[in-house]
């Protein structure tokens, strides 16, 4: 009798645990979002003649993108610049992401101080995107840029 | 009637329940300091009620969230009050929770046998903060969007599982529709039952061990909760509730422009009770970021959680615990300092009076330049700056030549690049606040000034630097000398660079400019 009761307690506990685990799997399966693979491609950002003589050009690249059941216009802001001594290739052109590497706020070019500044936590970057001061852990993300010889447009890989 | 209640009591036992709930004996000397828990309960009840009413009108999608909140504010009867109460109620709950916690520490109420209730209380504090965080996104305005960007990026600093946690919070690869539904579901479906359950547990544990009472137990008769302590609780609830109603009556909390991931010049700031944390993040550069975002807050919470086991002495006296209390006071002082510093460090968003360029733009938008097409009965809808979603270059093109956008409909209204700049400035400004009423004359003068003077002269925060600033010109020049100066500047100052406006402006226009300038002091 005692043994039977003990067995039953085990079974009931196991059955409850099974139900709990199944529900847990369901919750995890639904609540953990699917990862979308990011495909990078070249996209026209601005005409190379649009670059102002001093300071970078702010270009907003718009792309239609599925957002759940919604279709949104995903907007990416980049700074296009032509530098005398560029760090990388790209015919002397440089494209920097405007997203602060600290916590993702949108940095802005300060024409008086010749720095990119973040309005959130005070990160400062130089014209090449390197950290000058403040909390950002690394420089602004450098995007691949090229000149399309046919259209004279600067293209950025996003 | 009595028979009915007797029957009901026999079937449900409600009299026993009532007796158990209300006739709890309290230690002598239980006083006003012990009303904070009840005040918190009052605040939470108010949040549940106003939140439920808000949910009757709110739509959690990026397309409609902002509009539905605007609808609640402007069109729902009492809607502005509802939003005000929910907004200020959230602050009330956070403040009361922290005061309640401070009271428990001060009175040593966390000590044995009440350790578990202390821990449950700390979990409840986190539930309350989670409510604040998730509720913040729901209006889907600029402030909501950017605060959430920062929150999600902070979550990425979680050791080992950063990206996973961020994905879980976002619900997708970017902040968007799926983030909004997710946070809405958590705010209205996940957190409330958690709150109810934990609150019930908190109250159950409170009753199980009784209220701790004054630090040094007093002798005397013990009071019952009802009506003695209940009277104090209700007095506090009424006073605070009235203050809340007055705050809410001042107007609904600001609704900023709809979320715009590409907006430049927007200065994101979190709700005030997260400002201290926000400020802390500024002091930890580079790889140390995780210290400010996770290690310090985590350590503080761990120490708080272990408090009953760190301070195991039986005595609840202030003297015996002065080191601990000094530590707590220092912690609270640090949090307050950080919060105040965070608040002071908030650069002013564009507010105050509209500058002359923005006024000129507003005047141009309200006269036939725009309204010949953009009005209720014409071919285009009236302009609402908040609903203008086209990028700047589109707007410039549209202003220069409306036909470009709507070919064959009409000719471009007469205007020049200065007018266009003014209209763009007014549109941008109109997105960040209410639109002022302009007198007809003021508007016309602003247009004149913007078109002819602003390129070389500074007026307030705008203008060119070639000529002298005119912000306070009325203090030095009279109206008559201003007329002379504008009409024939070389007659006043032969070596000056200012062109004469005698032929460009009519005498009437010059007179209006001069009389307006004479009032700038």
């Amino acid at each position: 009798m005692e043994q039977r009761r003990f067995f039953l307690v085990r079974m009931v506990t196991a059955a409850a645990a099974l139900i709990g685990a199944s529900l847990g799997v369901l919750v995890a399966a639904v609540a953990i979002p699917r990862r979308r693979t990011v495909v990078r491609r070249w996209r026209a950002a601005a005409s190379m003649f649009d670059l102002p003589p001093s300071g970078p050009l702010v270009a907003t690249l718009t792309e239609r993108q599925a957002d759940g059941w919604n279709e949104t216009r995903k907007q990416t802001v980049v700074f296009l610049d032509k530098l005398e001594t560029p760090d990388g290739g790209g015919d002397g052109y440089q494209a920097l992401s405007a997203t602060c590497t600290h916590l993702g706020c949108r940095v802005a070019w300060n024409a008086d101080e010749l720095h990119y500044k973040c309005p959130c936590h005070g990160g400062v970057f130089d014209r090449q995107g390197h950290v000058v001061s403040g909390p950002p852990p690394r420089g602004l993300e450098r995007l691949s840029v090229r000149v399309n010889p046919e259209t004279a447009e600067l293209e950025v890989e996003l | 009637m009595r028979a009915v209640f007797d029957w009901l009591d026999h079937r449900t036992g409600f009299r026993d329940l009532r007796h158990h709930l209300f006739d709890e004996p309290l230690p002598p000397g239980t006083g006003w300091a012990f009303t904070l828990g009840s005040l918190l309960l009052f605040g939470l009840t108010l949040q549940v009620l106003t939140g439920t009413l808000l949910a009757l009108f709110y739509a959690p999608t990026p397309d409609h969230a902002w509009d539905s909140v605007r609808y609640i504010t402007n069109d729902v009867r009492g809607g502005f009050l509802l939003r005000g109460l929910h907004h200020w109620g959230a602050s009330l709950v956070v403040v009361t929770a922290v005061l309640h916690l401070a009271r428990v520490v001060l009175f040593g109420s966390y000590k044995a046998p009440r350790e578990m209730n202390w821990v449950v209380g700390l979990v409840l504090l986190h539930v309350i903060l989670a409510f604040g965080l998730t509720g913040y996104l729901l209006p889907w305005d600029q402030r909501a969007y950017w605060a959430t960007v920062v929150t999600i990026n902070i979550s990425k600093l979680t050791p080992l599982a950063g990206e996973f946690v961020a994905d879980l919070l976002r619900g997708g690869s970017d902040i968007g529709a799926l983030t909004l539904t997710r946070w809405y579901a958590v705010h209205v479906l996940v957190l409330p039952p958690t709150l109810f359950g934990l609150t019930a547990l908190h109250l159950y544990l409170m009753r199980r061990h009784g209220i701790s009472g004054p630090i040094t137990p007093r002798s005397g008769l013990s009071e019952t909760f009802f009506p003695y302590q209940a009277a104090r609780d209700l007095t506090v609830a009424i006073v605070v509730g009235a203050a809340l109603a007055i705050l809410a009556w001042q107007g609904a909390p600001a609704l900023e422009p709809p979320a715009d991931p590409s907006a430049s010049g927007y200065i994101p700031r979190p709700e005030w009770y997260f400002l201290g944390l926000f400020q802390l993040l500024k002091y930890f550069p580079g790889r140390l970021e995780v210290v400010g975002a996770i290690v310090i807050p985590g350590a503080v919470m761990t120490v708080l959680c272990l408090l009953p086991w760190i301070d195991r002495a039986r005595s609840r006296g202030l003297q015996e615990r002065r080191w601990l209390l000094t530590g707590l006071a220092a912690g609270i002082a640090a949090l307050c300092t950080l919060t105040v510093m965070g608040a002071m460090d908030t650069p002013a968003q564009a507010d105050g009076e509209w500058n002359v360029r923005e006024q000129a733009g507003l005047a141009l938008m309200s006269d036939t330049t725009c309204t010949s097409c953009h009005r209720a009965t014409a071919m285009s809808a009236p302009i609402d700056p908040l609903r203008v979603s086209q990028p700047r270059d589109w707007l410039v093109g549209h202003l220069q030549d409306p036909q470009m956008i709507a070919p064959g409909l009409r000719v471009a209204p007469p205007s020049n690049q200065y007018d266009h700049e003014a209209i763009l400035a007014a549109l941008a400004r109109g997105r960040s606040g209410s639109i002022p009423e302009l007198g007809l004359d003021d508007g016309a003068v602003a247009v004149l000034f913007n078109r002819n003077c602003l390129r070389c002269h500074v007026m307030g925060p705008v203008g060119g630097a070639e000529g002298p600033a005119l912000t306070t010109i009325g203090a030095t020049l009279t109206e008559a000398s201003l007329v002379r100066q504008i009409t024939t500047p070389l007659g006043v100052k032969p070596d000056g660079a200012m062109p004469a406006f005698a032929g460009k402006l009519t005498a009437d226009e010059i007179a209006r400019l001069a009389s307006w300038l004479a009032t700038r002091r």
Side-chain angles (χ1 to χ4, degrees):
Chain A
M1 191 64 200
E2 191 55 31
Q3 220 174 11
R4 204 180 127 187
R5 185 187 136 78
F6 181 72
F7 177 73
L8 208 59
V9 167
R10 276 276 172 94
M11 289 308 289
V12 169
T13 315
L18 183 71
I19 293 176
S22 318
L23 292 178
V25 168
L26 180 68
V27 168
V30 175
I32 297 173
R34 266 191 305 215
R35 291 214 92 154
R36 201 168 32 198
T37 46
V38 180
V39 185
R40 292 195 158 224
R41 59 182 184 82
W42 290 97
R43 295 204 273 138
S47 160
M48 56 189 284
F49 306 115
D50 284 348
L51 288 192
S54 62
L57 174 77
V58 187
T60 305
L61 280 72
T62 307
E63 185 179 40
R64 292 194 173 276
Q65 178 179 290
D67 173 26
W69 64 94
N70 247 20
E71 189 185 68
T72 56
R73 287 187 301 177
K74 181 184 180 183
Q75 298 190 307
T76 314
V77 181
V78 297
F79 293 109
L80 297 170
D81 208 353
K82 182 156 174 73
L83 297 179
E84 301 296 320
T85 49
D87 284 7
D91 306 329
Y93 290 100
Q94 166 188 279
L96 293 175
S97 159
T99 305
C100 182
T101 51
H102 181 221
L103 291 173
C105 296
R106 160 99 154 69
V107 301
W109 174 249
N110 185 316
D112 295 332
E113 301 174 26
L114 301 180
H115 283 139
Y116 294 102
K117 299 182 97 174
C118 177
C120 279
H121 303 88
V124 180
F125 305 86
D126 67 13
R127 195 162 172 177
Q128 283 77 33
H130 305 304
V131 180
V132 175
S133 65
R138 58 190 177 277
L140 292 173
E141 190 195 349
R142 197 169 280 273
L143 304 161
S144 304
V145 61
R146 69 180 186 194
V147 178
N148 184 330
E150 288 171 13
T151 59
E153 278 188 325
L154 290 172
E155 297 182 334
V156 176
E157 193 178 24
L158 273 181
Chain B
M1 203 62 195
R2 177 147 196 103
V4 175
F5 280 120
D6 283 345
W7 177 86
L8 202 62
D9 184 41
H10 180 260
R11 297 297 195 273
T12 64
F14 80 90
R15 283 189 183 126
D16 273 355
L17 184 69
R18 193 182 61 192
H19 173 71
H20 178 74
L21 287 179
F22 284 164
D23 298 342
E24 173 201 8
L26 300 180
T30 304
W32 292 96
F34 288 82
T35 54
L36 286 165
S38 299
L39 180 61
L40 197 46
L41 206 55
F42 164 74
L44 289 170
T45 312
L46 189 72
Q47 290 303 92
V48 170
L49 182 79
T50 50
T52 308
L53 289 173
L54 285 170
L56 297 182
F57 303 97
Y58 175 76
T61 77
D63 282 355
H64 303 300
W66 189 89
D67 285 310
S68 68
V69 173
R70 185 158 74 159
Y71 175 78
I72 291 172
T73 314
N74 297 339
D75 296 321
V76 173
R77 196 189 305 124
F80 79 97
L81 197 62
L82 207 54
R83 270 193 71 216
L85 284 174
H86 203 67
H87 173 88
W88 294 109
S91 289
L92 168 75
V93 164
V94 172
V95 170
T96 315
V98 171
L99 287 178
H100 185 51
L101 179 136
R103 201 279 298 153
V104 168
V105 174
L106 188 68
F107 279 62
S109 306
Y110 51 84
K111 285 169 179 284
R114 301 186 180 84
E115 300 98 322
M116 281 319 291
N117 213 13
W118 166 256
V119 172
V120 172
L122 281 180
V123 179
L124 270 168
L125 178 66
H126 285 88
V127 171
I128 286 171
L129 291 177
F131 264 116
L133 207 63
T134 47
Y136 211 59
L137 176 66
L138 304 184
W140 201 248
D141 60 355
Q142 282 285 62
R143 175 192 272 267
Y145 179 86
W146 288 100
T148 305
V149 168
V150 172
T151 306
I152 287 180
N153 278 304
I154 289 175
S155 76
K156 280 190 194 158
L157 298 170
T158 314
L160 301 176
E163 281 300 326
F164 175 75
V165 175
D167 264 2
L168 208 57
L169 288 175
R170 265 196 312 254
S173 51
D174 289 294
I175 297 177
L178 297 174
T179 322
L180 188 54
T181 44
R182 187 163 283 240
W183 287 38
Y184 178 68
V186 170
H187 191 78
V188 306
L189 290 173
V190 179
L191 289 176
T194 315
L195 179 80
F196 298 153
L198 287 171
T199 306
L201 184 61
H202 200 62
L203 292 175
Y204 162 75
L205 287 171
M206 184 262 288
R207 288 303 303 274
R208 183 177 164 85
H209 299 293
I211 278 186
S212 61
I215 296 172
T216 41
R218 295 181 201 171
S219 55
L221 284 174
S222 79
E223 288 179 341
T224 50
F225 169 78
F226 188 85
Y228 304 102
Q229 188 67 16
R232 294 192 194 99
D233 286 350
L234 284 181
T235 310
V236 173
I238 286 171
V239 170
V240 174
L244 208 60
I246 291 171
L247 274 176
W249 196 260
Q250 306 295 314
L255 182 62
E256 292 189 350
D260 177 3
S262 71
S264 65
Y266 182 76
I267 301 162
R269 283 296 175 269
E271 185 60 46
W272 69 268
Y273 40 82
F274 290 119
L275 264 182
L277 214 51
F278 182 87
Q279 181 72 11
L280 189 63
L281 293 177
K282 294 184 185 170
Y283 303 119
F284 293 94
R287 308 243 167 269
L288 293 177
E289 202 180 335
V290 68
V291 175
I294 298 200
V295 175
I296 290 184
V300 168
M301 277 305 153
T302 311
V303 169
L304 274 181
C305 197
L306 295 177
L307 191 60
W309 294 278
I310 293 172
D311 171 30
R312 301 178 65 162
R314 292 218 96 150
S315 164
R316 289 168 57 198
L318 300 179
Q319 270 298 319
E320 289 86 339
R321 295 185 300 134
R322 57 182 178 277
W323 295 115
L324 188 102
L325 294 177
T326 313
L328 175 81
I332 290 182
L335 187 63
C336 290
T337 312
L338 281 173
T339 306
V340 170
M341 283 170 73
M344 307 241 288
D345 204 15
T346 307
Q349 309 268 13
D351 57 356
E353 222 172 278
W354 285 38
N355 67 45
V356 67
R357 175 174 291 152
E358 290 158 351
Q359 288 189 12
L362 185 59
L364 288 166
M365 275 163 62
S366 1
D367 77 10
T368 48
T369 312
C370 297
T371 53
S372 51
C373 289
H374 291 278
R375 65 189 140 85
T377 51
M379 59 187 89
S380 303
I383 302 170
D384 177 353
L386 286 169
R387 289 330 252 162
V388 174
S389 58
Q390 282 84 356
R392 188 184 162 90
D393 39 352
W394 186 96
L395 292 172
V396 171
H398 181 67
L399 286 168
Q400 283 166 352
D401 181 8
Q403 291 215 49
M404 186 182 103
I405 308 304
L409 283 179
R410 50 169 279 116
V411 294
S415 59
N416 59 35
Q417 56 166 329
Y418 304 114
D419 293 353
H420 298 160
E421 276 173 32
I423 291 175
L424 289 172
L427 279 175
R429 182 62 196 271
R431 289 171 62 84
S432 64
S434 59
I435 297 169
E437 292 283 334
L438 271 191
L440 213 55
D441 277 353
D442 286 349
V445 171
V447 172
L448 276 177
F449 189 85
N450 174 73
R451 206 177 272 170
N452 298 291
C453 318
L454 203 55
R455 192 174 64 153
C456 300
H457 293 286
V458 167
M459 172 59 72
V462 287
E466 281 168 60
L470 299 181
T471 313
T472 57
I473 192 69
T476 42
L477 289 184
T478 62
E479 192 174 329
S481 50
L482 279 164
V483 171
R484 269 203 309 281
Q485 174 70 40
I486 299 169
T487 321
T488 51
L490 295 181
V492 180
K493 191 179 173 207
D495 57 341
M498 178 163 160
F501 282 84
K504 298 178 190 163
L505 296 176
T506 65
D508 176 54
E509 287 172 332
I510 292 177
R512 284 161 75 176
L513 269 176
S515 78
W516 179 75
L517 281 169
T519 60
R520 306 294 106 185
R521 292 161 197 274

